[in-house]
Amino acid sequence: MSALGGQARGGDGINWKGTAVGIFILLVAILITYALEQSLIPPGLFGSLQGVALVVPLIGIIVGGALIGFGVHFVPVGGAPAAMGQAPGIATGVAMLAAGAGLAGLFGGAWAWETTHDFWITIIGGGIGGGLMMAITCLMVNLTYVFAMGVPSASGKVAKDPITGFTFPEFKSQGTEGHGLPFISYFGGVVGGFLAALGGTLVYLELLLVYQPGLEKLLGIDAGSVAPLAVSLAGIFAIGFFLVNAVLSAYNITGTIEGPHDPKFKRVPRAIIGCAVASAVCGLVAILTVVAL
Amino acid sequence: METIVLGIGITALAGALATVAGAAEDTESDIGSQGDPNSQVQLAPQMGYIHRIFNKAVSGEPPAYGLWCALGAGVAFAFLQILHNPALAIILGSIVAVFVQGVYCVTAYLGRTASLAKFEQPVYIDVVKSLTPVTMAHAFVAIFCTVTMCYLMAEFLHHPFALPLLGLVWGIALGAAGSATGNPFYGKERQYQNQNFGAGVPISASGNIVRYAEAGQRSSLDNGWFTTKFAGPASGICFGLIVFLELWRTVLFEHELGQWGAVIIGFVLIVIFAIIDLWVEKWSRTTYGPYEKAEEASS
Amino acid sequence: MTVKMEASAGGIPHKTLLIGGLVTAVVCIYLTYLNQILGVGYFAFFGGIAAVAALWWGSDTIKHLCSYGLGTGVPSAGMIAFGTGAIAMIVATKFGIATPIVAVIIAAIIGAIIGYIANEIINMNIPVMIISLTELAIVGALTMLGLASMACGSFLFENMITNGAIVTAVGLSGAENAGILVANIDATGTLIGGCVFAVIFMLGAIALQHPFNACLGPNESQDRTLMLTMECGFLSMIPVAVISYAYLDLVAASVSLVVSLIGFVYTLREYFRLSRRDAYAWLDAKPIREVGGEQ
């Protein structure tokens, strides 16, 4: 099953030189934002928030991107072998499954912001939306495995479920790497959906908070007219950020992962740093949309 | 009160539409062997098993359905600007989306199959002629239901996202739910019907998919017939539950408990689903029991 | 995916495709500016041609990148290209007449940084990673810019947020100019306000990854893949032309629709011809040929 995995990869370690350059890029992005905020944007644009209004959203976007990268690693995805009962996990692609959960959460979060205008309710609500999507999906996956295929859950990477204490080797059918969705993977799926949707909603909300006042000022139109523009731009950019971060995380995972107990999970710091840097750069450019030239 | 009643009605309707969409989506992808089971259809000729299965690898189901539903919603949205007639706009949007879907299916089958010439897999052009309309029909049901559902959300529940963005969001979620639930059933139970029930497919058997039917040769229509018995409805319930509960918890509880109601209810639902899952896993372990080595040797 | 990805050798060199695609795309996007100069709408279809050219180049880039095996399949490359391209393109639309050039530059910067992250922080260590993701980001930005300008007749931000009204290029050229637009526009139905943008995003992303994804295999041949790319490009133009009925006048949208249909029919026929050429056999209602697998 590793016809594609033949290329040289850096193992599980961290490339310190690359990481240092990445963090430098991240800091430069924040510095540029700070400079924009201080000098290039006319005073009074963000009211009393003058002085923090761009840097704080950018930091929010960076945190959101890192959360997406972190969350994707929890999602148990088995890819093609899972569809044949040859490997545990959900039988689909990691980036897109996470995107499905994250966008379902983004839907809930955007709605919650519309009615409550409360920061914490919005992002937690968005996260719960993603977690709920994964909870239902993972349950249906398990129902399919157990009742339609007659296959009990067995992990291929560990001998014992860290949460329930179930043992796996005797439940693994011959010639496979395990199958089904053990409870630890279920837990990972829910946590992953929650974190990814939390990050996605955070990115959306921070962008919205920049675009709403920014576009009002830039276009000289009132808040009601600018709302659909701000929501649509923030929404599509949030999806763009989500896809970039999810695909970068999928590259880090190289295809399949069983959940938080998988040895590949040790690679997660790389993805967090990578996603944070990517979000910093993309966030800076996205914020430039409302900066007058 | 009236808005709440309307909201619940819309929620129920959206959930029902989502259920139909999920079932149609999974059946469509199974008839076309889209998603992960596609790898086996692709692998079979390399192992010497020439087949007549429809092999339309457009991409994973989530991006593909993200496109079909966003496209249906986007064209419907554009027509709404001109016609102001939602029913007509949604139908026209779905038709345009299905046209694009059909062309992608045909080109995917031709491309993949022509690239397998080395393994002597011929292009069976009648497979394209007979099965593309079937997948288009199923895709139409899925797209129409999803776009209608998105329209209800935008128009009556006042979700801030515009219709095309809702189409993209729910299209990707539809593909994710459908492929996650439906793929194992098609991949294991149908493609490898010749393998033991109640066990995974041994890696050594990869590529040896079932190519003959009870009488004659298996066509992908048989696969749709088979997967509508379980995978389709299961995917439908999965996506229907996702949409219904997502809307239900917000419509009913968003103003409760200091506006934290929807969040708390969502968390409670997650815990309930986790408990059900744990019970299912325990049930399978006690009922099926561990595999016995002696029996395994015969497979 | 268990399928081994093999890219065909030979054919048109990648550098030719790169230069040809880039130049054609930028020039064609500029041709839509004739709409602003002449005050008409029927040059919008050049945006779609630009998208076809950009995709034509991009699918070859995807082939080079994915022949290294990313572990996540081909579609993810299309997604990351358009995720970065979308951000670059929207920002670039504010630069007035310089938009296409700025889109290329911003997309190149973002793409290069994402490629560096993938290679050096995530340790992919794929030699063509940085250059490929840079190219793909540019392809994403140009494709979206082309299709967006096809839908609303212009590549300028102010036209994408007003309902199709082709205003002369004024540019959002500074804070002192803020308020140049009508005081209270209704942006709900516009290209950006209505997020029709999301459709263009997905149309481009699938059209970019589909050709190589559909043609991969031992007998992949470059001319067939590229023909499929053009077919995907023209196919993507059709719904955009349909959408443009909402933003452009009847004649302009019809011109776009006719051009895309002609291109689509021609490229689809050619693709059928090339598939027939490459296929092992072209059978209609014939049984399975057994070549060695067990009966």
Side-chain angles (χ1 to χ4, degrees):
Chain A
M1 294 301 111
S2 57
L4 295 179
Q7 289 302 315
R9 297 253 160 66
D12 293 347
I14 290 179
N15 179 345
W16 290 109
K17 178 171 152 274
T19 307
V21 174
I23 290 173
F24 176 72
I25 295 173
L26 189 149
L27 292 175
V28 167
I30 294 179
L31 268 180
I32 294 175
T33 318
Y34 181 75
L36 284 174
E37 184 181 88
Q38 292 301 311
S39 54
L40 292 179
I41 293 211
L45 171 54
F46 291 97
S48 58
L49 280 175
Q50 172 71 17
V52 285
L54 291 184
V55 174
V56 168
L58 185 71
I59 290 171
I61 290 168
I62 294 169
V63 172
L67 278 172
I68 295 170
F70 186 45
V72 170
H73 284 70
F74 280 92
V75 179
V77 168
M84 259 59 64
Q86 289 172 347
I90 300 174
T92 188
V94 63
M96 295 324 288
L97 183 63
L103 299 186
L106 180 62
F107 169 86
W111 204 5
W113 175 254
E114 194 75 1
T115 48
T116 62
H117 280 84
D118 183 293
F119 179 81
W120 291 106
I121 291 179
T122 302
I123 62 165
I124 306 275
I128 287 286
L132 184 60
M133 190 274 186
M134 285 305 294
I136 297 170
T137 306
C138 291
L139 175 63
M140 291 308 296
V141 168
N142 236 347
L143 290 179
T144 308
Y145 274 119
V146 169
F147 293 121
M149 294 159 66
V151 174
S153 303
S155 162
K157 299 280 171 65
V158 292
K160 203 173 156 197
D161 192 317
I163 296 180
T164 57
F166 292 158
T167 51
F168 294 134
E170 70 271 26
F171 284 94
K172 198 155 58 172
S173 53
Q174 199 184 4
T176 67
E177 297 168 5
H179 33 62
L181 201 65
F183 192 74
I184 177 73
S185 296
Y186 184 94
F187 173 77
V190 173
V191 172
F194 176 78
L195 289 175
L198 188 75
T201 313
L202 186 58
V203 170
Y204 167 78
L205 191 54
E206 298 291 2
L207 285 171
L208 188 64
L209 291 177
V210 172
Y211 286 158
Q212 183 73 38
L215 284 172
E216 261 175 58
K217 185 74 182 173
L218 181 75
L219 303 175
I221 53 180
D222 67 27
S225 305
V226 93
L229 286 178
V231 167
S232 291
L233 275 179
I236 193 77
F237 281 177
I239 293 175
F241 275 76
F242 205 99
L243 292 174
V244 170
N245 287 320
V247 173
L248 279 177
S249 308
Y251 284 170
N252 191 34
I253 295 170
T254 57
T256 62
I257 189 166
E258 277 188 22
H261 58 292
D262 193 302
K264 280 183 183 173
F265 193 75
K266 292 198 196 84
R267 299 179 188 173
V268 76
R270 294 195 318 218
I272 292 178
I273 298 165
C275 289
V277 178
S279 305
V281 175
C282 293
L284 170 64
V285 177
I287 283 175
L288 284 177
T289 306
V290 292
V291 177
L293 296 165
Chain B
M1 191 61 209
E2 209 168 299
T3 52
I4 297 263
V5 172
L6 178 74
I8 294 170
I10 297 295
T11 302
L13 187 53
L17 285 168
T19 310
V20 178
E25 188 273 349
D26 185 65
T27 310
E28 189 267 342
S29 81
D30 287 347
I31 292 174
S33 303
Q34 206 176 348
D36 287 314
N38 174 272
S39 61
Q40 305 304 303
V41 176
Q42 180 78 6
L43 187 65
Q46 306 187 26
M47 301 291 174
Y49 303 106
I50 304 300
H51 59 77
R52 280 170 52 89
I53 308 288
F54 194 20
N55 173 6
K56 67 166 184 76
V58 177
S59 70
E61 288 165 58
Y65 269 85
L67 172 60
W68 314 150
C69 294
L71 190 53
V75 176
F77 184 79
F79 275 118
L80 272 175
Q81 313 294 315
I82 316 170
L83 300 170
H84 305 288
N85 180 342
L88 192 57
I90 292 171
I91 289 174
L92 286 174
S94 307
I95 288 174
V96 172
V98 159
F99 166 72
V100 173
Q101 184 259 358
V103 175
Y104 270 111
C105 293
V106 173
T107 54
Y109 177 79
L110 289 181
R112 279 279 171 110
T113 316
S115 289
L116 286 172
K118 186 179 167 191
F119 305 111
E120 307 189 7
Q121 166 77 38
V123 171
Y124 291 105
I125 198 68
D126 60 307
V127 167
V128 176
K129 285 187 220 161
S130 59
L131 290 171
T132 308
V134 180
T135 61
M136 285 170 76
H138 282 89
F140 181 83
V141 175
I143 297 165
F144 177 76
C145 290
T146 311
V147 176
T148 311
M149 179 189 96
C150 295
Y151 179 77
L152 293 176
M153 290 173 187
E155 194 64 27
F156 297 103
L157 299 181
H158 305 294
H159 193 276
F161 284 177
L163 188 57
L165 195 55
L166 283 174
L168 174 58
V169 166
W170 284 118
I172 290 182
L174 167 64
S179 63
T181 312
N183 276 353
F185 189 69
Y186 172 54
K188 159 71 181 63
E189 284 307 301
R190 187 57 177 171
Q191 284 186 332
Y192 289 99
Q193 217 167 0
N194 51 0
Q195 301 291 325
N196 283 346
F197 178 79
V201 177
I203 291 170
S204 55
S206 290
N208 184 11
I209 60 173
V210 177
R211 302 164 299 141
Y212 290 94
E214 293 87 339
Q217 298 171 353
R218 181 175 282 187
S219 97
S220 286
L221 212 52
D222 300 338
N223 293 342
W225 169 85
F226 184 83
T227 53
T228 38
K229 308 283 194 251
F230 183 90
S235 305
I237 290 174
C238 180
F239 189 56
L241 275 178
I242 292 168
V243 171
F244 176 76
L245 292 177
E246 187 72 33
L247 297 181
W248 176 78
R249 72 183 176 101
T250 309
V251 167
L252 274 191
F253 300 103
E254 65 182 344
H255 297 300
E256 310 293 325
L257 302 167
Q259 299 188 322
W260 283 89
V263 176
I264 293 164
I265 292 289
F267 183 75
V268 171
L269 285 170
I270 290 176
V271 172
I272 292 173
F273 283 119
I275 291 169
I276 298 174
D277 179 78
L278 197 55
W279 177 80
V280 167
E281 195 183 339
K282 258 190 192 140
W283 184 90
S284 73
R285 291 172 68 89
T286 51
T287 312
Y288 298 156
Y291 291 100
E292 288 166 26
K293 290 289 169 207
E295 273 181 36
E296 285 302 312
S298 62
S299 63
Chain C
M1 301 290 288
T2 55
V3 184
K4 195 157 186 227
M5 307 210 191
E6 294 169 53
S8 60
I12 310 172
H14 183 65
K15 200 168 274 177
T16 316
L17 284 166
L18 190 160
I19 295 168
L22 182 62
V23 171
T24 316
V26 171
V27 167
C28 283
I29 291 175
Y30 268 119
L31 284 176
T32 63
Y33 198 71
L34 288 172
N35 278 341
Q36 271 72 26
I37 295 173
L38 301 177
V40 291
Y42 44 76
F43 289 105
F45 73 88
F46 277 112
I49 307 285
V52 174
L55 292 170
W56 186 64
W57 155 36
S59 81
D60 203 61
T61 309
I62 285 224
K63 185 163 94 180
H64 281 269
L65 178 62
C66 290
S67 58
Y68 280 89
L70 303 172
T72 52
V74 183
S76 65
M79 291 297 152
I80 201 166
F82 275 74
T84 47
I87 298 166
M89 171 254 165
I90 284 280
V91 174
T93 54
K94 286 177 55 208
F95 285 79
I97 183 75
T99 294
I101 308 285
V102 175
V104 170
I105 295 168
I106 296 180
I109 295 170
I110 303 183
I113 293 176
I114 300 280
Y116 183 82
I117 291 168
N119 240 3
E120 299 297 326
I121 300 182
I122 297 190
N123 282 358
M124 296 284 283
N125 294 333
I126 290 177
V128 298
M129 192 75 183
I130 296 179
I131 185 71
S132 293
L133 282 187
T134 310
E135 289 180 28
L136 287 176
I138 299 173
V139 168
L142 286 179
T143 308
M144 291 193 68
L145 195 59
L147 290 178
S149 55
M150 181 180 173
C152 70
S154 159
F155 53 72
L156 302 173
F157 189 70
E158 53 267 36
N159 289 336
M160 290 184 192
I161 59 168
T162 50
N163 215 345
I166 305 284
V167 295
T168 41
V170 276
L172 304 165
S173 52
E176 70 275 13
N177 281 358
I180 41 171
L181 290 167
V182 217
N184 282 315
I185 55 165
D186 178 20
T188 38
T190 57
L191 191 77
I192 290 179
C195 221
V196 176
F197 204 64
V199 182
I200 292 169
F201 181 96
M202 284 312 288
L203 270 176
I206 299 287
L208 178 60
Q209 59 81 22
H210 180 67
F212 181 60
N213 191 40
C215 289
L216 63 84
N219 293 78
E220 194 261 354
S221 55
Q222 196 198 33
D223 55 348
R224 181 159 54 95
T225 308
L226 291 181
M227 189 55 73
L228 180 54
T229 313
M230 285 199 264
E231 188 269 336
C232 288
F234 283 112
L235 178 63
S236 306
M237 281 171 72
I238 295 174
V240 177
V242 172
I243 287 171
S244 73
Y245 275 103
Y247 302 116
L248 299 173
D249 59 274
L250 206 60
V251 179
S254 301
V255 167
S256 298
L257 190 59
V258 168
V259 168
S260 34
L261 279 174
I262 292 172
F264 166 69
V265 170
Y266 173 75
T267 48
L268 188 66
R269 287 174 65 100
E270 283 296 296
Y271 175 69
F272 265 76
R273 187 181 63 76
L274 293 172
S275 297
R276 197 162 188 155
R277 181 200 69 189
D278 287 353
Y280 176 73
W282 189 273
L283 304 176
D284 196 351
K286 292 284 184 297
I288 296 173
R289 296 179 56 261
E290 285 300 344
V291 293
E294 60 189 70
Q295 301 283 325

